[in-house]
Amino acid sequence: MNECAVLNKRLPRVDAPDKARGRAAYVDDMRLPAMLYGAILQSPFAHAKILNIDTSAAKKLPGVKAVVTAQDAGLVKYGVSPARYDETLYCHQKVRYLGDEIAAVAAVDLETALEALGLINVEYEELPAVLTVEDALAEGAPLLHEEFPGNLCAEVHQEFGNVEEAFKECDLIRTDRFVNKRQDAAFLEPHVCIADYDSSGYLTLHTSTQVPHYVMRTVAMVLGIPVGKVRVVKPYVGGGFGPKCEATPLEMSASLLSMKTGRPVKMNYSREQVFLHSRARHQFIHEMTTGVKKDGTLVALKNTCHLDGGAYTSFGIATVYYAGSLLGGPYRLPNMKYDGYRVYTNKPACGAQRGHGGVAARAAWEQQLDAIAEELGMDPVDFRLKNIMRTGDVTCNALDMSSLGMKECVEAVKERSDWVHKKGKLPRGKGIGIACGFFVSGAGYPIYRSDTYHSTVVIKLSEDGGTINVLTGSAEIGQGSDTTMAMIAAEALGVRYEDVRVISGDTDLSVDLGAYSSRQTLMTGHATKEAAEDVRKQVLEVLSRRLDYPVDAMDIKKGLISFKEGTVDFSEIRRQYIKEHRGWTDPPADDKLSFKEAARIAYLEMGTIVGTGKYKPPKLGGAYKGAAVGTSPAYGCSAQVVEVTVDLETGKVTVDNMTDAHDCGFAINKNSVEGQMEGSLSMGLGEALMEEVKFDRKGRILNANLAEYKIATALDMPNIKTIIVESHEPNGPYGAKEVGEGAIMPTIPAILNAVYDATGVRINELPLTPERVYLALKKKEET
Amino acid sequence: MDLGDASEKENTMKQLITLAVNNQEYELAVEPNLTLLDLLRYHLELTGTKKGCDEGDCGACTVIMNGKPVSSCLVLAVQANGKEILTIEGMETEEGIHPIQQAFVDNGAIQCGYCTPGMILSAKALLDRNPHPSEEEIRTAISGNLCRCTGYQKIVEAIEEASVKTSKPSPRSSQR
Amino acid sequence: MLLPKFEYHEPSTLEEACEILAELGTKARPLAGGTDLLVNMKKKIIAPRHVVSLGNLEALREIGSSNGTIRLGALTTAAEIAESEAVRKAFGALCQGASNLGSPLIRNLATIGGNLVSARPAADLPPSLMAYGGRLIIRNKGGRRTIPLENFIKGPGDTDLVSGEILTEVEIDKPPAHSGAAYMKLGTRKALEISLVNVASFIALDGQDGVITSARVVLGAVGPTPLRAPSAEKILLGEKPSDRLFEKAAQEAAGDSRPIDDFRGSAGYRRDMVAVLTRRTLAAALEEAGKR
């Protein structure tokens, strides 16, 4: 493999200096002239009929410029997937969770807006609420949505092979039940937006989102504005992790209020409201039965899952599929049966969060596999290696592993963690555990049924050729996508990284589905590469004509033109360039022709040099129902080894170190790849040990703040050893594929397996708080 | 609500305060219920200090006040009267960005960047009083600054690198 | 989140402060570090019409000592206590409590006065202060009074202070030779934690290998106030320290605790952890006693 000029290095990110200086602008840092402030009225009840809404007093409060309810917003239903458009902007006849949106106010300042909320008089008739899957599915349970009897939001039934028959061939069959808890993504920047509806009917929405494209479409659809008149632009975003993957009532309220008042409207969620909005990780209740042969060959898996979905579907229609489909790999599994049920409950809606529906399923299964390995007397690493898939394998549910460095990842962490000297040799109270996982590199299909390209990119050269502008609707949310595109453009075009400028996150620039399902490196990367190659071709073609030299014998490297054979006289071009830049004190004097000069000449001949690129995955997946969910042009995978110390008297678990090996196909920027691995591990550790959204009996969140919803601090995280594995994905640009979500998959089960190794206790409920571990230890002692 | 009903809509008296922010003096009349964080972000337009939770749980609003790193969302603007405040904007000089900032950039310690200003200031406060911190001391110093993106790994490495680079005394980088 | 509106007062002397507080009564709250008051105001739990800042009362910031008795001004921050060499040497458990409070950012604001007057059951400073037999100096218009810390906290958010009074200092006498103390806190994560359970233990021995002549075991977060564990103390007095003795005392301490179930943890778990932390702090206290 030829070494790349720009790629596969540790270049500093394009946005890092501004962020280090505090100059990077996020939405709340922005202010527009004549800006108003908005606030949303939210339901104090988990389930209630709305009998009447009286906004008259609020409207009269001095400083209030608009008050809107369902009457003003209309009742266009929306959601994430058209198959489940089950919410309206404001509640119409009833509220379905404590926090459900009823009205919004725009006023001259936040204080007045909040005061106005207090003057909106809503008459409720409280209804009984269902707060658990069990209660929601019970006979005669109160219904959240008329169209969904039994509160069943979605159900999935899939079988590949024949599980019952296969079990008959098994020597060992084991069943386990596993449950995680509802999470929150806990990004540091709460949602915030500024909507600006101008005098020509154009709406510009500045918002902290991962998906400008989807937000644009939803806002246009719900508020009845033509798509071409809605522009969504994201500045810097302080983290997303999933919940910022859909249009929010905040964004739609600000837009509607701006339409009503003719002024820009800023709206923020408080940290508490971020919890109330949620759209974060579901609670999954898994029951899994796995059958193996006594030599450790995996034969069959029966997986049933109930998802506690909250009051609306959000991403849940995909989640309920992922909870099954993502167990098709990374082991050879010929028979798999999955039955999934997503249930409505009177709580904030759950959606997609890093790793989506695969995280809890992975945690459950990897712990079960460890238990099976133990029963067979096999080392957990050997058990996994025995069943591991290789590049070219296809899962029973038709997921094609066009590249898969799973084996390499397992061997890498085994070695780096010194597994053989530790497994079975640590004193009681200390343990080591391993797990594997994989994830899609971009969903194979967009969220709404469409033949749209998933990514389009425009590259426009500045007229003097000095800057390569990459214009993309893709979303830099902290993961480093702007840097990735800058590096890919630089590599594909042959220019210096410093000369590339990425302008992104704006629906006016290009269509891009945004930052979710770990798609941008592969998909936007492809489009960027194509656009850069288009520019390269255009410039070299002009040069070829001018110099009467074949295109194929020219190349662009590090911003300089190279000629394969002989010397080429480009002095005429240089003279022309210098003439066009009289007064400049730094004329080109290199003995090589620069890209700048070539690009300038190309502009003079052709006009603005614009290159375009686009990407759409080929038709993927099997022919069965729901086959789409889980399909992807590529899959990233991770293996992880974790060591823990368990305080046997208090149950407190400390993670002492973590080693992760992730196959990202080809690392565009090594720092970025490692950073995503490290961040994934910290989120996984938090979910394993301390994160849980808690409710009281009335459906109110008890810990809607970052003091009581506990994410890992710097003292809770150990040092992380990261290993990058490169399997060179044929479907990825330069062989690259995802890293953003694959690395979280093994984290929770590696910790669970390590805790078992330390204590002899398997715990099937998250989080592993000290109390939970203590009770499990006590129970074991008593038996 | 107890302890006196504050919903009476009388206007409260503004207070005149003087404070130095990044070595620049300001004299302002502020409402008593304005936090230092809101003063910096919305009145002085120093938006580098971030608001992550507004209730003291996340550290995104960290500033250095009279030499000590504090959560500015829990300080009233009126309490900052007569004090010296250093925000992220004050870390750089005419000569360029501070070595701690450079270390963050060089080590890939910045992803979404929202925790970054607070982290850098906590790091500065640490290195000012302890130029050769152990890893444990570094992690403790930033234990009040939550990060969801990085797992803290490269942040700790950046601060370690900065400690080597800044341990030579420099008149510009120290703050009383 | 907006703070509710209030009138702000910044008295420059203690007399002035007592005067204002007496006059305004329940309409006013004193402001020290703000880490409790401002948070509760933002959450709309309280909305005082007047806030009286103690920030200008420089006298309340002094750490002084005479004859080994240390006097901590009420405005001494948790960070200052944690970093004070004088405190660490003589009152190690207090140093441990201060170091474990919140995070470095909170410690630079939170004051010892605030931590005592806010009277949160899980607070980090009261247990060790009580274990050392701390006394509070309170100023009012009429003069001053002294009260042992354990008589001061009456319930969650409730203390012996009346309107017009200000806690000005905390006094702790130098512990005798052959004594030691320790504070331990149990939480889910390693910073920014409110204790599930915390315990401070103090023992004084009669000579190098002597018997226990004085014992104070204080339990936090397992009752409406920090609690002494009298049954545990009784078991310890007059006995030579040993693992078995400490185990017995630990079980007694668990019996003395009055934990409740709440969303952070169950009463049963807390009770069991009282025993664990009591045993561990007693062992650590013994180790320190061996060095003094």
Side-chain angles (χ1 to χ4, degrees):
Chain A
M1 176 86 188
N2 285 333
E3 213 201 271
C4 294
V6 176
L7 303 183
N8 209 232
K9 301 192 186 352
R10 292 180 185 280
L11 296 178
R13 288 172 43 150
V14 295
D15 48 347
D18 271 349
K19 288 174 175 174
R21 295 172 67 199
R23 280 184 51 103
Y26 302 77
V27 176
D28 195 58
D29 302 332
M30 296 168 50
R31 191 157 42 175
L32 292 180
M35 192 170 79
L36 298 171
Y37 294 84
I40 295 182
L41 181 67
Q42 296 177 274
S43 162
F45 298 113
H47 202 194
K49 276 199 208 139
I50 299 175
L51 300 175
N52 189 46
I53 305 176
D54 179 4
T55 58
S56 52
K59 285 182 167 145
K60 290 203 205 91
L61 184 68
V64 170
K65 300 299 178 194
V67 181
V68 292
T69 63
Q71 256 191 353
D72 310 278
L75 295 173
V76 174
K77 288 204 148 176
Y78 75 94
V80 169
S81 159
R84 288 288 184 283
Y85 280 172
D86 62 359
E87 42 188 329
T88 53
L89 173 52
Y90 301 120
C91 293
H92 172 46
Q93 283 152 343
K94 62 181 209 164
V95 295
R96 294 184 177 85
Y97 73 98
L98 201 155
D100 215 346
E101 298 83 9
I102 298 161
V105 169
V108 293
D109 56 41
L110 181 59
E111 200 184 334
T112 307
L114 292 174
E115 201 185 328
L117 289 186
L119 295 174
I120 299 176
N121 205 346
V122 184
E123 272 172 65
Y124 299 97
E125 181 190 307
E126 227 183 315
L127 298 169
V130 285
L131 300 178
T132 64
V133 164
E134 213 185 319
D135 286 345
L137 292 177
E139 184 85 28
L143 257 195
L144 271 92
H145 297 267
E146 292 302 315
E147 320 83 80
F148 293 93
N151 289 318
L152 202 50
C153 163
E155 60 182 289
V156 176
H157 302 285
Q158 295 173 332
E159 182 158 16
F160 310 96
N162 188 326
V163 165
E164 286 311 316
E165 282 305 308
F167 278 148
K168 294 181 185 154
E169 313 292 314
C170 293
D171 300 313
L172 176 64
I173 298 175
R174 187 187 160 106
T175 300
D176 288 285
R177 192 175 176 278
F178 182 89
V179 62
N180 75 324
K181 299 291 160 56
R182 168 190 286 251
Q183 311 271 308
D184 185 85
F187 32 76
L188 265 281
E189 184 210 14
H191 306 73
V192 51
C193 63
I194 303 176
D196 187 9
Y197 188 78
D198 73 13
S199 318
S200 315
Y202 279 85
L203 174 71
T204 302
L205 178 62
H206 306 265
T207 179
S208 174
T209 183
Q210 298 173 234
V211 291
H213 176 75
Y214 289 128
V215 171
M216 179 269 287
R217 284 183 58 102
T218 307
V219 168
M221 178 179 84
V222 170
L223 299 181
I225 314 171
V227 159
K229 287 192 156 193
V230 178
R231 175 184 175 212
V232 176
V233 50
K234 55 151 281 302
Y236 286 111
V237 167
F241 308 113
K244 288 182 182 173
C245 280
E246 52 191 283
T248 62
L250 197 71
E251 288 158 341
M252 288 181 271
S253 295
S255 301
L256 178 62
L257 289 167
S258 185
M259 287 167 77
K260 293 272 176 207
T261 60
R263 290 166 67 167
V265 176
K266 178 190 257 192
M267 294 184 74
N268 303 62
Y269 275 155
S270 66
R271 179 54 62 176
E272 184 185 11
Q273 287 173 311
V274 172
F275 281 91
L276 288 174
H277 175 68
S278 182
R279 314 285 158 143
R281 196 179 311 292
H282 289 67
Q283 174 170 45
F284 301 81
I285 302 155
H286 276 280
E287 189 174 288
M288 295 187 181
T289 303
T290 300
V292 299
K293 291 229 188 288
K294 61 176 181 280
D295 69 352
T297 307
L298 260 179
V299 177
L301 165 66
K302 181 162 165 226
N303 173 17
T304 309
C305 186
H306 287 84
L307 290 73
D308 181 342
Y312 299 101
T313 306
S314 173
F315 259 94
I317 184 81
T319 318
V320 66
Y321 280 97
Y322 276 121
S325 63
L326 288 176
L327 293 186
Y331 311 117
R332 292 188 176 127
L333 179 68
N335 304 281
M336 180 166 80
K337 184 175 194 299
Y338 172 64
D339 298 286
Y341 307 88
R342 186 182 189 273
V343 180
Y344 283 120
T345 54
N346 292 110
K347 291 184 291 192
C350 294
Q353 180 174 326
R354 196 172 211 164
H356 211 164
V359 173
R362 200 85 234 159
W365 204 39
E366 292 281 328
Q367 176 165 236
Q368 186 179 61
L369 292 179
D370 244 44
I372 288 172
E374 191 188 45
E375 263 187 85
L376 294 177
M378 282 179 82
D379 176 273
V381 172
D382 295 338
F383 177 87
R384 286 170 171 81
L385 286 173
K386 182 171 176 60
N387 290 289
I388 214 127
M389 291 178 80
R390 309 288 173 99
T391 296
D393 287 348
V394 178
T395 67
C396 64
N397 54 339
L399 309 183
D400 184 347
M401 301 295 158
S402 40
S403 73
L404 193 72
M406 192 71 259
K407 176 168 175 289
E408 290 76 1
C409 287
V410 172
E411 286 167 345
V413 294
K414 177 181 177 183
E415 210 236 292
R416 192 82 186 273
S417 68
D418 204 18
W419 175 270
V420 293
H421 293 120
K422 291 184 176 158
K423 177 67 180 162
K425 303 188 167 77
L426 298 172
R428 181 162 154 79
K430 287 206 181 280
I432 188 167
I434 186 170
C436 296
F438 78 109
F439 197 68
V440 302
S441 206
Y445 296 83
I447 290 169
Y448 58 93
R449 250 168 229 145
S450 166
D451 290 328
T452 180
Y453 283 97
H454 292 219
S455 191
T456 59
V457 169
V458 174
I459 294 186
K460 180 167 166 285
L461 297 185
S462 64
E463 59 172 89
D464 74 339
T467 298
I468 291 80
N469 293 295
V470 177
L471 310 177
T472 165
S474 65
E476 164 65 71
I477 54 168
Q479 84 285 55
S481 61
D482 279 1
T483 300
T484 299
M485 301 319 146
M487 291 175 75
I488 288 177
E491 184 74 40
L493 183 47
V495 296
R496 302 179 314 164
Y497 174 60
E498 309 85 271
D499 293 332
V500 179
R501 183 170 71 146
V502 175
I503 306 167
S504 68
D506 184 336
T507 53
D508 268 6
L509 296 173
S510 83
V511 175
D512 190 291
L513 300 184
Y516 76 104
S517 73
S518 263
R519 58 173 292 284
Q520 290 185 165
T521 294
L522 191 146
M523 298 192 180
T524 313
H526 261 306
T528 303
K529 181 168 183 275
E530 192 174 274
E533 285 164 351
D534 184 6
V535 167
R536 181 180 181 280
K537 181 162 172 285
Q538 289 180 52
V539 171
L540 288 182
E541 275 174 358
V542 171
L543 206 56
S544 168
R545 284 197 293 277
R546 272 297 286 269
L547 296 174
D548 191 22
Y549 193 89
V551 167
D552 299 327
M554 289 191 284
D555 200 3
I556 311 173
K557 274 197 184 68
K558 297 193 176 153
L560 298 170
I561 313 293
S562 63
F563 302 94
K564 219 184 222 165
E565 287 141 16
T567 45
V568 176
D569 180 9
F570 55 80
S571 51
E572 209 204 308
I573 292 178
R574 177 151 293 174
R575 260 197 308 276
Q576 185 179 8
Y577 184 91
I578 291 174
K579 197 166 133 205
E580 296 243 322
H581 291 85
R582 264 178 60 177
W584 264 252
T585 56
D586 59 345
D590 217 284
D591 58 359
K592 286 195 137 189
L593 179 64
S594 67
F595 174 78
K596 264 181 85 161
E597 294 166 281
R600 177 67 187 173
I601 298 310
Y603 160 70
L604 291 173
E605 187 163 315
M606 310 283 294
T608 313
I609 303 296
V610 174
T612 62
K614 58 192 187 293
Y615 178 83
K616 194 191 324 191
K619 280 258 169 282
L620 298 162
Y624 56 91
K625 179 164 197 278
V629 183
T631 62
S632 177
Y635 298 90
C637 62
S638 239
Q640 209 169 116
V641 168
V642 169
E643 285 180 61
V644 302
T645 301
V646 180
D647 182 330
L648 298 169
E649 290 186 318
T650 63
K652 184 131 185 226
V653 177
T654 303
V655 177
D656 300 314
N657 62 64
M658 304 172 96
T659 308
D660 186 82
H662 186 89
D663 169 22
C664 63
F666 178 74
I668 304 288
N669 183 317
K670 289 184 169 160
N671 275 343
S672 298
V673 171
E674 290 169 355
Q676 286 291 289
M677 290 162 76
E678 291 155 1
S680 287
L681 266 57
S682 75
M683 185 178 275
L685 183 149
E687 296 190 18
L689 299 182
M690 46 185 100
E691 294 181 39
E692 176 181 352
V693 178
K694 302 176 185 180
F695 289 86
D696 70 10
R697 274 193 263 268
K698 304 286 275 173
R700 169 178 295 278
I701 299 179
L702 288 167
N703 58 339
N705 55 70
L706 294 175
E708 296 298 339
Y709 181 85
K710 300 168 196 287
I711 71 173
T713 68
L715 285 172
D716 298 295
M717 284 300 295
N719 277 308
I720 303 168
K721 297 193 208 84
T722 53
I723 301 156
I724 296 175
V725 169
E726 292 174 323
S727 63
H728 303 290
E729 167 58 53
N731 296 332
Y734 297 101
K737 55 184 178 176
E738 76 90 42
V739 64
E741 295 180 73
I744 199 177
M745 294 301 188
T747 308
I748 299 171
I751 292 173
L752 291 170
N753 290 334
V755 168
Y756 174 75
D757 192 48
T759 62
V761 158
R762 284 207 195 278
I763 299 172
N764 279 306
E765 183 174 347
L766 297 182
L768 264 57
T769 57
E771 180 168 349
R772 181 158 286 121
V773 175
Y774 173 78
L775 289 173
L777 288 170
K778 213 166 132 185
K779 189 158 167 222
K780 178 166 195 284
E781 234 171 273
E782 285 159 9
T783 54
Chain B
M1 301 199 265
D2 68 351
L3 289 195
D5 194 343
S7 66
E8 305 146 24
K9 278 259 299 184
E10 305 158 22
N11 280 327
T12 53
M13 257 196 40
K14 281 196 174 170
Q15 304 269 331
L16 200 63
I17 61 171
T18 329
L19 69 166
V21 183
N22 302 330
N23 289 319
Q24 185 174 331
E25 284 258 318
Y26 292 90
E27 191 186 77
L28 307 143
V30 298
E31 291 283 350
N33 67 340
L34 181 72
T35 61
L36 175 59
L37 175 62
D38 285 357
L39 174 77
L40 293 168
R41 285 185 57 74
Y42 307 120
H43 295 247
L44 302 184
E45 303 202 309
L46 293 167
T47 55
T49 308
K50 302 303 178 195
K51 184 181 290 195
C53 71
D54 216 7
E55 42 191 349
D57 298 329
C58 75
C61 66
T62 303
V63 299
I64 296 183
M65 185 165 77
N66 279 12
K68 309 264 186 232
V70 296
S71 299
S72 62
C73 71
L74 293 186
V75 177
L76 297 176
V78 290
Q79 286 179 294
N81 183 32
K83 303 227 164 74
E84 282 177 26
I85 312 287
L86 176 69
T87 72
I88 187 68
E89 291 91 343
M91 285 290 290
E92 61 192 64
T93 64
E94 290 83 48
E95 264 137 57
I97 64 176
H98 193 280
I100 297 174
Q101 291 171 301
Q102 190 62 53
F104 269 63
V105 171
D106 294 341
N107 282 276
I110 304 173
Q111 290 190 38
C112 84
Y114 210 71
C115 78
T116 302
M119 281 289 179
I120 288 176
L121 288 167
S122 284
K124 178 178 200 307
L126 169 70
L127 297 182
D128 280 353
R129 70 167 197 277
N130 180 357
H132 302 286
S134 64
E135 186 193 316
E136 179 80 14
E137 285 167 331
I138 292 175
R139 288 183 180 271
T140 302
I142 60 171
S143 60
N145 295 87
L146 295 180
C147 174
R148 197 53 153 164
C149 293
T150 68
Y152 307 99
Q153 186 66 34
K154 293 184 191 298
I155 292 176
V156 171
E157 288 167 8
I159 297 172
E160 276 170 348
E161 184 180 288
S163 74
V164 171
K165 298 211 164 119
T166 57
S167 56
K168 305 182 198 355
S170 154
R172 271 191 199 280
S173 65
S174 66
Q175 208 212 28
R176 197 177 55 74
Chain C
M1 308 173 96
L2 298 177
L3 285 164
K5 280 184 164 359
F6 55 86
E7 289 291 350
Y8 182 73
H9 310 266
E10 209 169 26
S12 354
T13 67
L14 214 38
E15 290 73 30
E16 225 189 296
C18 291
E19 181 92 37
I20 297 175
L21 286 171
E23 197 189 304
L24 295 172
T26 54
K27 293 215 270 286
R29 284 278 210 187
L31 171 64
T35 57
D36 188 79
L37 179 67
L38 294 185
V39 173
N40 289 327
M41 287 171 70
K42 285 185 186 217
K43 290 193 203 271
K44 310 259 184 292
I45 296 171
I46 49 170
R49 199 72 193 81
H50 298 267
V51 169
V52 180
S53 170
L54 307 177
N56 280 349
L57 307 179
E58 286 307 314
L60 301 192
R61 292 190 201 280
E62 293 161 4
I63 302 186
S65 69
S66 58
N67 300 329
T69 297
I70 205 166
R71 211 169 282 112
L72 301 164
L75 292 184
T76 312
T77 65
E80 285 161 350
I81 294 172
E83 287 157 19
S84 157
E85 193 55 27
V87 171
R88 197 190 57 78
K89 275 223 200 71
F91 306 100
L94 176 58
C95 195
Q96 284 157 356
S99 310
N100 275 297
L101 190 155
S103 76
L105 304 173
I106 301 294
R107 295 197 273 280
N108 281 325
L109 290 173
T111 63
I112 187 169
N115 200 247
L116 296 176
V117 171
S118 61
R120 303 285 160 218
D124 283 296
L125 302 184
S128 59
L129 284 171
M130 272 170 67
Y132 285 121
R135 288 184 300 279
L136 309 186
I137 315 293
I138 295 169
R139 281 284 296 264
N140 51 38
K141 261 166 77 169
R144 47 185 274 162
R145 64 186 181 96
T146 304
I147 180 172
L149 174 51
E150 50 194 276
N151 299 344
F152 179 71
I153 299 175
K154 301 195 128 61
D158 188 21
T159 69
D160 196 56
L161 277 185
V162 298
S163 282
E165 290 193 313
I166 295 177
L167 167 61
T168 56
E169 286 154 315
V170 179
E171 252 179 22
I172 333 169
D173 292 329
K174 181 179 175 165
H178 312 297
S179 73
Y183 169 80
M184 288 182 192
K185 166 180 184 172
L186 178 67
T188 308
R189 59 181 175 175
K190 299 214 169 105
L192 290 165
E193 274 296 272
I194 294 188
S195 308
L196 278 169
V197 178
N198 62 47
V199 175
S201 294
F202 169 90
I203 51 170
L205 306 178
D206 147 27
Q208 186 86 334
D209 292 304
V211 298
I212 297 170
T213 53
S214 169
R216 285 191 286 277
V217 176
V218 185
L219 318 175
V222 287
T225 69
L227 301 172
R228 291 277 292 272
S231 321
E233 293 167 3
K234 195 155 159 232
I235 291 269
L236 293 166
L237 285 170
E239 300 293 332
K240 281 193 80 168
S242 71
D243 287 344
R244 254 183 84 232
L245 179 69
F246 288 167
E247 179 57 44
K248 271 169 76 180
Q251 294 306 321
E252 293 295 325
D256 286 335
S257 68
R258 288 163 15 213
I260 54 170
D261 292 324
D262 71 12
F263 73 99
R264 292 192 191 111
S266 73
Y269 177 68
R270 289 177 150 121
R271 189 172 296 112
D272 288 355
M273 292 306 106
V274 164
V276 175
L277 293 188
T278 300
R279 187 170 26 79
R280 291 182 181 182
T281 49
L282 284 171
L286 177 65
E287 202 186 313
E288 192 190 10
K291 300 182 187 142
R292 289 176 59 95

